[in-house]
Amino acid sequence: MKNNFTFFAGLKIAIVAVCCSLNAMAQPEDKSYLKQANSDLKAGDYIPDSKYGPVVTPSNLTEALKNPAIYKSARFSNSGLTKFPEQVFSFPNIEELDISQNTIKELPSNLNELQNLKELHVNKNQLTSIGNEIILCSKLEVIQIQNNPLQSISKDIEKVISLKEVTIGEVAKNCKVPVELWNLTNLVKLKITNAGLTEIPASIAGLKRLGELCLANNSISKIPEELYTLTDITYINLGGNKINSVSGSIKNLEHLYYLGVYYNPLKAFPEEIGNLKELAFLSCWKTNIPKSEVEKFRKKLPVADIHDTETDLH
């Protein structure tokens, strides 16, 4: 009897251990790092890896410092930070750094000491400038700086030629987005919203790799012909501007999947839009385009979702 009892007790423990392991594996990805440092996370809680590998967060910082070389992602989002977390410099192989949703006012001048940094996310902080602190980050590919009261962005940003994705938005009213930004010829995604832009420069023609462009909620009045030369682009959002016409040259954008022109004083579409066979979404609500015109393009583009009212939006 005693041996049987020992056997079943051991089996029960093994089953519980397996179940705990499976439960940990089943937790949703990229959720735990959103919790603050003083939250209910405890030592040993499951923290999912990023695409770069192991993630250091405020909750596992002490443990991570025992073997810092294995960590390639640092996520200190929504952690109540008022200053840049200097502990990050203890992790020499960091490729992704997320310090969004804090009240950080400036980035350190020695940011380039993170020699492998590829992604920098600083959305929803209190940054007032983007200057030389990122210029020397020679491997930086992604920078997101939405919802900061930026007053200035260095024109030297064009020197970060490795950049593939830039997100800027909701800046201070006196902030000027430097025209040099459009010289980043490796850009794949560019998003500039609520930034007071009045034009799209002709130099956009040099962004041959650009696949996604979002310039919503600015004061742009004209789409330059140069934009229609970006034949690989799949996503264009120009909603909330002052655009009153779209050129027939849009027919060149054969791979366009999404076109947003809502909240613009448009009165008509060019007939050539009907030739965009890959167009799946056309957002044109709050324009001056007649209902009859919209219905005409619904027939020409039967597989596309054409949103001409706010209630159409998913």
Side-chain angles (χ1 to χ4, degrees):
M1 285 291 291
K2 185 176 180 181
N3 288 339
N4 287 342
F5 175 81
T6 303
F7 171 79
F8 285 112
L11 180 61
K12 182 178 180 181
I13 291 171
I15 292 172
V16 169
V18 170
C19 290
C20 289
S21 176
L22 290 174
N23 285 338
M25 292 172 64
Q27 290 196 33
E29 187 176 1
D30 291 342
K31 296 295 184 182
S32 60
Y33 78 93
L34 296 175
K35 298 183 179 181
Q36 296 186 20
N38 59 354
S39 71
D40 58 356
L41 276 176
K42 300 177 179 63
D45 278 355
Y46 174 73
I47 297 174
D49 288 352
S50 75
K51 65 180 180 181
Y52 295 104
V55 178
V56 58
T57 75
S59 65
N60 70 346
L61 179 59
T62 302
E63 188 66 25
L65 285 168
K66 296 177 182 177
N67 192 8
I70 70 169
Y71 291 89
K72 295 188 176 182
S73 177
R75 294 178 173 175
F76 289 71
S77 172
N78 194 21
S79 297
L81 298 175
T82 58
K83 295 182 179 180
F84 185 88
E86 295 292 329
Q87 303 96 321
V88 171
F89 290 110
S90 298
F91 298 88
N93 297 319
I94 290 296
E95 296 183 41
E96 175 194 44
L97 174 59
D98 187 349
I99 51 173
S100 299
Q101 301 182 65
N102 289 292
T103 54
I104 297 169
K105 294 183 178 180
E106 62 181 2
L107 297 174
S109 58
N110 61 333
L111 186 64
N112 66 305
E113 289 182 13
L114 298 174
Q115 297 180 6
N116 297 300
L117 189 62
K118 292 181 179 179
E119 295 194 25
L120 177 62
H121 303 265
V122 287
N123 298 321
K124 294 186 179 180
N125 274 280
Q126 294 297 314
L127 300 182
T128 56
S129 67
I130 292 295
N132 293 330
E133 62 272 13
I134 70 164
I135 306 306
L136 298 178
C137 296
S138 60
K139 294 183 179 180
L140 194 62
E141 296 180 358
V142 176
I143 182 168
Q144 294 188 351
I145 48 176
Q146 284 190 121
N147 293 101
N148 280 276
L150 291 176
Q151 297 178 16
S152 65
I153 301 171
S154 173
K155 64 181 181 180
D156 286 337
I157 194 171
E158 68 176 341
K159 295 179 180 179
V160 193
I161 58 175
S162 55
L163 277 172
K164 296 180 180 179
E165 179 179 340
V166 173
T167 300
I168 299 172
E170 295 72 48
V171 299
K173 289 185 178 180
N174 62 337
C175 182
K176 299 292 183 183
V177 176
V179 69
E180 288 81 5
L181 180 67
W182 302 87
N183 295 333
L184 293 167
T185 55
N186 286 314
L187 284 179
V188 176
K189 297 180 182 180
L190 177 59
K191 181 179 181 181
I192 308 174
T193 59
N194 288 292
L197 290 182
T198 57
E199 65 176 357
I200 303 173
S203 54
I204 193 173
L207 307 186
K208 299 299 185 184
R209 300 183 181 183
L210 197 65
E212 298 182 21
L213 176 67
C214 179
L215 303 176
N217 302 322
N218 285 291
S219 298
I220 299 165
S221 58
K222 183 181 178 181
I223 303 175
E225 284 294 312
E226 287 80 3
L227 175 57
Y228 302 119
T229 67
L230 305 180
T231 53
D232 289 335
I233 202 163
T234 60
Y235 178 99
I236 297 177
N237 187 347
L238 298 173
N241 279 282
K242 299 179 180 179
I243 298 166
N244 55 30
S245 67
V246 176
S247 167
S249 298
I250 198 169
K251 66 183 180 182
N252 298 328
L253 309 183
E254 296 179 354
H255 303 296
L256 196 63
Y257 180 82
Y258 175 92
L259 176 62
V261 288
Y262 55 88
Y263 263 110
N264 277 283
L266 286 171
K267 295 182 179 179
F269 284 133
E271 292 294 326
E272 288 82 356
I273 281 185
N275 296 330
L276 300 178
K277 302 306 180 185
E278 295 187 25
L279 192 65
F281 298 95
L282 175 57
S283 241
C284 58
W285 52 286
K286 290 289 184 178
T287 64
N288 296 323
I289 300 173
K291 187 74 174 178
S292 58
E293 177 87 350
V294 173
E295 292 304 320
K296 180 176 72 173
F297 282 96
R298 278 202 170 98
K299 294 178 181 178
K300 288 189 174 184
L301 299 166
V303 298
D305 281 343
I306 300 180
H307 304 150
D308 61 335
T309 66
E310 291 185 62
T311 54
D312 284 333
L313 299 180
H314 299 309

